[in-house]
Amino acid sequence: MPLARVQELLDAGPEEFAGGVQEIDKDLRAEIRRLQGTRGRLARLAAGEHLALPQSVVDYLDRLRGLGVEEQYIDMERDAWIMIAAQVPHLIDAVIAKKHEELDDPDTVKLYSLLSGALDWPDHDPRIVEVADIMERLMIRAVEAGEVDADDGIDDRFVGLLDSTMIGSSPGAARLLAILEERGWRGWTRIERVPAERLNTDLPPT
């Protein structure tokens, strides 16, 4: 931060000082993300992303980068795809083809633009509700199109592992899943429609 900016803050009143500190914090967070992205790209060059993933997944991650998705979120996706590709290598190309189709939907692109920065959101961030709204719209369309299938060839314990990893990635992740469950949806890796009677039975008393 330039010395002139420091001097401006020292001479500022309480409100201006507080606003300046918030602005600096925002700039620092952006710089941290940029540096993390650079670090991630260097790590991939050193380790070889192509060695760990099928080409179809590499191309998909590159498409996400082209949409402006932050490298921090792509790193998390990449790690998940490495595990999925190892678990169901015979299904991965078909799954990725479906993911490309989903990216043609503006709602999906909007979802990624929100999730890209969601790893830093607190659990009370109002954008979590916006993410839930978009996900619910996408799932309703999938159900209406007959595209929701619990028999996806992926082991239930492995799905639980992926969901646990996602929940641990962000303070707001658990709240997002709680909102979706209140609306009758369950899961992240494999989102399922929960019948109302089963949902009422499973939910703890309030």
Side-chain angles (χ1 to χ4, degrees):
M1 182 174 58
L3 291 177
R5 181 57 176 151
V6 173
Q7 188 60 51
E8 288 176 8
L9 287 178
L10 292 175
D11 296 337
E15 292 185 3
E16 185 180 351
F17 182 87
V21 170
Q22 289 181 349
E23 182 180 342
I24 291 169
D25 181 67
K26 181 180 178 181
D27 291 343
L28 287 174
R29 286 177 179 272
E31 180 64 12
I32 289 170
R33 292 193 199 95
R34 186 189 68 79
L35 292 172
Q36 287 174 332
T38 300
R39 180 177 178 273
R41 286 189 291 274
L42 290 173
R44 281 192 301 279
L45 288 174
E49 189 172 82
H50 290 72
L51 298 178
L53 286 169
Q55 185 60 45
S56 59
V57 180
V58 173
D59 293 342
Y60 175 71
L61 294 178
D62 283 341
R63 184 174 178 185
L64 293 183
R65 291 186 182 100
L67 292 173
V69 176
E70 293 184 11
E71 204 67 30
Q72 183 183 15
Y73 184 85
I74 289 179
D75 286 346
M76 188 178 70
E77 279 245 350
R78 183 197 65 234
D79 292 345
W81 285 116
I82 289 173
M83 292 191 290
I84 294 171
Q87 176 80 7
V88 287
H90 58 294
L91 297 178
I92 196 68
D93 286 346
V95 172
I96 287 295
K98 178 60 180 174
K99 298 293 287 185
H100 276 292
E101 290 180 11
E102 292 171 357
L103 283 178
D104 292 332
D105 187 323
D107 264 343
T108 302
V109 175
K110 176 64 175 176
L111 179 64
Y112 266 110
S113 73
L114 288 167
L115 291 177
S116 177
L119 299 181
D120 296 327
W121 294 354
D123 60 6
H124 58 272
D125 194 299
R127 289 171 293 183
I128 294 173
V129 176
E130 185 178 1
V131 169
D133 291 342
I134 295 174
M135 290 184 65
E136 185 172 26
R137 286 201 301 271
L138 291 171
M139 286 307 302
I140 289 173
R141 290 178 210 159
V143 169
E144 292 174 345
E147 296 173 351
V148 176
D149 183 6
D151 186 16
D152 52 18
I154 303 178
D155 182 79
D156 289 345
R157 289 174 297 179
F158 182 64
V159 170
L161 173 63
L162 291 174
D163 282 3
S164 296
T165 301
M166 178 269 173
I167 292 172
S169 68
S170 168
R175 180 173 175 238
L176 171 60
L177 292 185
I179 292 172
L180 289 172
E181 187 157 341
E182 287 175 0
R183 299 179 182 186
W185 304 96
R186 179 170 297 167
W188 176 265
T189 306
R190 181 197 292 145
I191 302 180
E192 301 173 287
R193 188 63 165 154
V194 183
E197 61 274 11
R198 179 177 156 197
L199 182 65
N200 293 333
T201 301
D202 291 350
L203 285 176
T206 55

